[in-house]
Structure formats: C-alpha cells, structure tokens
Amino acid sequence: GWQKMSNLGPAMPGTEIACTAFKSPHVGIRYVSMILDPLYQKLNVFRVYFQHMEYGLMEKCHDGHRGWYDGWMKFPKMQHRTSIACTSYGSGSDIMGIHVFYTSANMALEMVYDGKSWREGQFHADCIPGTEIACISWVSGSRPEIRVYLQAGHEISAISEFAWSHGTWKSGETALPPA
C-alpha cells in the first residue's frame, strides 16, 4: 500500500511538479581479473523539479546510496507558477540526458543536463500565456528522440508538437488534429 515517505521541503503554493526516473551505473565500478565486480549495480535514480518561494526551480535528487539531496542546478528565476515538464533518457551504459522545459510569459525554454553539467538548451518556442507543457523521450538506435507538446497559438488554442531528433529541434505538427 501507499505510505508517506519524505518531505522535499518548502515549495511555492500551486507550483507545478515534474519528475523523471532512470537507471544510472554505480560510480564505483571495479573490474577484478577482467570480470565485472558482482557489487556493481545500476541504481534507480529520481529527479523532482518544482518552483521554490524565490521563483526559481528546485531540483531534488534521489538514489539508493544517498537518499534525497539537493541537485546541482540553480535554475534562473521564472514567472510565478511556471509550467514545468521533464524527461530523461539513456543511450548507453553511462550516457544520460535530462531535459527540463519551463515557460516564461510567452516562451517555452529548456535546460539540459548531459551527464556532466547543466546548460541552457536550444529549445525556444513561442507559446500562449498560461500554457502547460508535456514531453516524452525515447532512444531510437543510439539516438535520443524528444517530443514537446504545448499551446503555441496556432488555430488559437491548438496543441503543437516540437521534435528533437539527430541533435536539433524542429516543428512537428503545428496543430494536432482533434480527437
């Protein structure tokens, strides 16, 4: 059954919450006589993103060795109750990426973690004020693919798709057909 676990600290009232999970190799990989050490294991790793009281995003991290801890990234200040979405992928034993999407007044933006450091991403898209963001990722062969969905203002309030493929962003469907 469900049980109460951890309190991740203070958050802005009404904040969006985004989370992602992935497998990460244990940092202390050791080889003994050319055989992989039986203590080697892939860890379940979690990241949770939410807006704190000073209008920036907070990154909370969890793994099986450390439990919960503050992430490394200090996100820029954002508009009150910004929309947040994130996704992660692995494309090899130790290559991992996290993409966090958020909105400004009329733009959707991205921060990217490449397994080593955070940087501002290439994704910049016009959006209507108050839009929500959704995203998903997967690995095709050895290349990650990402799709982002938001209201960009086409056909007034239609949902638009943006695609990240082969390391570049492009517009997908500008107005997804109605269901």
Side-chain angles (χ1 to χ4, degrees):
W2 287 97
Q3 59 182 322
K4 183 176 179 179
M5 299 297 282
S6 298
N7 182 328
L8 300 182
M12 177 179 288
T15 184
E16 298 258 334
I17 303 168
C19 61
T20 190
F22 51 90
K23 296 269 189 191
S24 177
H26 182 267
V27 178
I29 299 172
R30 296 181 296 158
Y31 288 89
V32 179
S33 302
M34 300 306 290
I35 299 173
L36 188 61
D37 185 330
L39 295 177
Y40 169 78
Q41 60 181 340
K42 288 197 171 220
L43 298 174
N44 289 320
V45 179
F46 308 102
R47 297 288 187 269
V48 178
Y49 302 90
F50 57 90
Q51 202 167 17
H52 59 68
M53 299 301 281
E54 285 81 40
Y55 298 95
L57 280 188
M58 175 69 75
E59 178 187 41
K60 292 291 188 169
C61 309
H62 183 278
D63 66 50
H65 289 298
R66 296 175 62 185
W68 284 104
Y69 56 96
D70 289 343
W72 298 348
M73 178 56 189
K74 300 301 179 210
F75 290 89
K77 285 189 176 185
M78 300 165 186
Q79 71 180 24
H80 183 74
R81 294 185 181 160
T82 189
S83 182
I84 307 166
C86 69
T87 190
S88 59
Y89 54 83
S91 57
S93 62
D94 61 353
I95 300 170
M96 186 270 303
I98 302 173
H99 293 248
V100 176
F101 302 92
Y102 62 96
T103 56
S104 66
N106 60 355
M107 288 286 284
L109 305 165
E110 165 194 46
M111 294 296 291
V112 177
Y113 180 71
D114 62 8
K116 297 177 183 149
S117 63
W118 283 98
R119 62 176 168 77
E120 200 171 306
Q122 300 170 359
F123 183 79
H124 298 84
D126 291 331
C127 65
I128 64 172
T131 190
E132 298 291 331
I133 303 174
C135 61
I136 189 167
S137 65
W138 66 93
V139 176
S140 177
S142 64
R143 295 176 186 252
E145 301 274 336
I146 301 174
R147 299 297 182 271
V148 175
Y149 301 92
L150 54 85
Q151 291 175 298
H154 299 286
E155 296 182 22
I156 303 180
S157 62
I159 304 298
S160 297
E161 176 188 55
F162 297 87
W164 189 61
S165 184
H166 302 284
T168 60
W169 284 104
K170 63 180 181 179
S171 288
E173 292 291 324
T174 55
L176 295 176

